[in-house]
Amino acid sequence: MFLSIITPTYNRAHTLHRVWQSLKCQEVMDFEWIVVDDGSTDNTRQLVLSWIKEGVFPIHYREVSHRGRNAAVNLGKTLASGKFVTVMDSDDAFLSCAMSEILAKIESNDGLEDPSISAIAFAYADEYGNDLSGKFPEKTFFGPFLGAVIRYRLGPEMLLVHKRKEFIRAEHLEIAPPDHVPESTTYARLNDSYGCLFFELTLGTKYRHDGEVRLTRGRNANVPKHPRGRYVKSREYLNHALIYAKYDYGLFLRLAKRMVCYGIYCRISLIDQYRSLSPAKAKLLWLVALPSGLLRASRFIAKYGRLKQKWDSEFSAKS
C-alpha cells in the first residue's frame, strides 16, 4: 500500500462527503482511507458503512469514545499499513491530481530513501482559491519542518505526507475535549530531527466553513478557545523549539506571554510554570514576558474569569 489517509471526525457527517468525493476522483487509487469516528452522535457511521459497501477503495472505520482529534490521529497511526501517511480533516478535500502528484514527487526523489527526510509538504488553498500556506522561498526546498515554517513565515495550513515510521514517533499530545493541543506542538518536540521536503504545489482544499451548519457557531463567547492546549503549545515551544527564536524572536516572546496568561487562567501557579521550563534561555524569556503576561492575564480574567478547578497540565496532557 502506497498511502494511508487518516481522517479523524466528530459530528461531521454533513462535510465528510468532501473527503470521500475527492478520493473517488483520484487519478491514482493506491491508498487506504482510515476513518476514526471520535464519538459522533450524527449519522457518520451509516454514511461510512454505505461507502465501504461501494468497494471503490479500502476503507477502515473505527468508532471510539470522544477523546479529541489528536487521540483519533494517534489511533489512526496504529491502523495504517501504507508506506506513507497523511491526515485529511473531515471537512476538507484533496484535488483530483493529489495522489498522482504525491507519488510522482516521491519517485522523482528516489522513493525518499534519504533518512534525513521524514515528510514532504504541499500547499493548501481555501474554497475560493486563496493560498493558505504562504510564499515558499523556492519551488522546492528542504529543512526542519517547524524551523522552515517559522523562518519563512509560512502559513499553518499544509498538506503533510509522512513516512509512516517517522509519523508514528511524532506523537500528537492528547488533551480532554473540547480543548485541543495544536498540531504544530508535535513538531516542536522533534525540531531538527523532522526534516521536510517542501513543494510549492497546491494539492488540497481547506474549507473555511462547514457547509450547512457551522458547528462552532453556538460556542459560548464567555469561554476562551483551547486555553489548556494553548498553554501546552507555549510551554512546548519554549522547551523544545527555542533554537528557532533567531528567526522570529517576537514569536517566542508572545508565546512566553501567552504561557503566563493561559497558565494563570488554568490556575497553574507562576512557580509551577517557571519550573516546567528546562532551558535557561526559556526561563529568562518567560521572566522578560512576565509583566506583560500578567497584565494580559488580568484583562483575560476580567473577561472570562478563571477555571473553576485547578488543572494540572502534566497529568491532563501526555508529556
Side-chain angles (χ1 to χ4, degrees):
M1 184 70 65
F2 157 58
L3 181 67
S4 295
I5 301 157
I6 300 172
T7 296
T9 186
Y10 175 64
N11 287 341
R12 285 291 199 273
H14 64 289
T15 63
L16 191 58
H17 64 88
R18 292 173 181 163
V19 189
W20 160 249
Q21 292 292 343
S22 70
L23 290 175
K24 284 178 66 176
C25 296
Q26 292 302 308
E27 300 165 357
V28 172
M29 303 293 286
D30 187 14
F31 58 81
E32 62 179 356
W33 189 26
I34 299 169
V35 181
V36 181
D37 186 346
D38 186 38
S40 295
T41 56
D42 58 9
N43 65 325
T44 294
R45 184 176 188 274
Q46 293 83 352
L47 199 60
V48 177
L49 291 181
S50 70
W51 294 335
I52 291 175
K53 288 182 180 179
E54 291 192 32
V56 180
F57 50 80
I59 302 176
H60 309 287
Y61 179 66
R62 179 69 64 88
E63 292 179 273
V64 295
S65 58
H66 186 39
R67 293 172 51 203
R69 181 186 185 278
N70 287 356
V73 170
N74 284 334
L75 174 60
K77 295 176 189 179
T78 68
L79 305 175
S81 61
K83 186 176 180 180
F84 298 90
V85 181
T86 191
V87 178
M88 175 57 69
D89 286 342
S90 54
D91 53 354
D92 298 323
F94 292 99
L95 299 188
S96 60
C97 63
M99 301 305 154
S100 59
E101 289 287 358
I102 291 170
L103 181 59
K105 296 302 184 186
I106 290 174
E107 290 181 341
S108 65
N109 286 276
D110 301 320
L112 296 179
E113 293 297 329
D114 187 339
S116 67
I117 301 175
S118 298
I120 55 178
F122 301 92
Y124 262 119
D126 66 17
E127 64 266 46
Y128 307 111
N130 300 311
D131 173 62
L132 298 176
S133 302
K135 183 173 178 57
F136 288 18
E138 300 177 55
K139 293 292 185 182
T140 303
F141 72 98
F142 174 79
F145 175 72
L146 189 59
V149 169
I150 294 173
R151 180 177 185 178
Y152 300 114
R153 310 294 201 275
L154 300 180
E157 307 293 358
M158 262 182 269
L159 177 58
L160 284 167
V161 179
H162 314 260
K163 291 179 179 176
R164 179 162 58 99
K165 63 179 181 180
E166 295 295 316
F167 193 48
I168 289 174
R169 76 182 179 94
E171 183 181 22
H172 290 60
L173 300 182
E174 299 176 18
I175 197 168
D179 222 308
H180 170 69
V181 179
E183 186 176 5
S184 62
T185 310
T186 298
Y187 308 106
R189 290 192 166 202
L190 297 167
N191 52 63
D192 275 347
S193 70
Y194 213 78
C196 187
L197 190 59
F198 294 80
F199 297 98
E200 194 176 43
L201 177 65
T202 301
L203 294 185
T205 302
K206 186 161 285 290
Y207 289 78
R208 294 183 181 275
H209 299 281
D210 291 348
E212 297 177 8
V213 179
R214 183 64 179 172
L215 295 182
T216 55
R217 182 175 294 160
R219 185 179 182 85
N220 184 353
N222 295 319
V223 179
K225 186 176 181 180
H226 309 322
R228 301 173 177 88
R230 291 181 177 184
Y231 172 82
V232 171
K233 174 185 175 179
S234 299
R235 184 194 67 192
E236 295 299 290
Y237 268 60
L238 292 173
N239 268 329
H240 303 289
L242 204 54
I243 57 173
Y244 304 132
K246 61 185 178 182
Y247 300 130
D248 192 349
Y249 179 79
L251 168 64
F252 286 85
L253 188 59
R254 291 192 298 274
L255 288 168
K257 179 179 176 180
R258 290 170 189 167
M259 181 177 172
V260 173
C261 177
Y262 285 108
I264 290 176
Y265 174 81
C266 294
R267 295 184 179 273
I268 301 172
S269 72
L270 294 178
I271 293 176
D272 287 342
Q273 290 185 46
Y274 182 80
R275 287 175 176 172
S276 71
L277 297 172
S278 298
K281 290 183 178 179
K283 292 178 181 289
L284 179 60
L285 193 60
W286 183 89
L287 288 170
V288 170
L290 182 58
S292 58
L294 288 172
L295 179 60
R296 180 180 179 183
S298 65
R299 295 171 178 170
F300 199 77
I301 292 172
K303 180 178 180 180
Y304 296 115
R306 296 178 75 183
L307 284 184
K308 293 182 179 180
Q309 295 181 338
K310 185 177 185 294
W311 173 71
D312 189 335
S313 63
E314 297 301 330
F315 291 96
S316 299
K318 291 186 176 180
S319 56

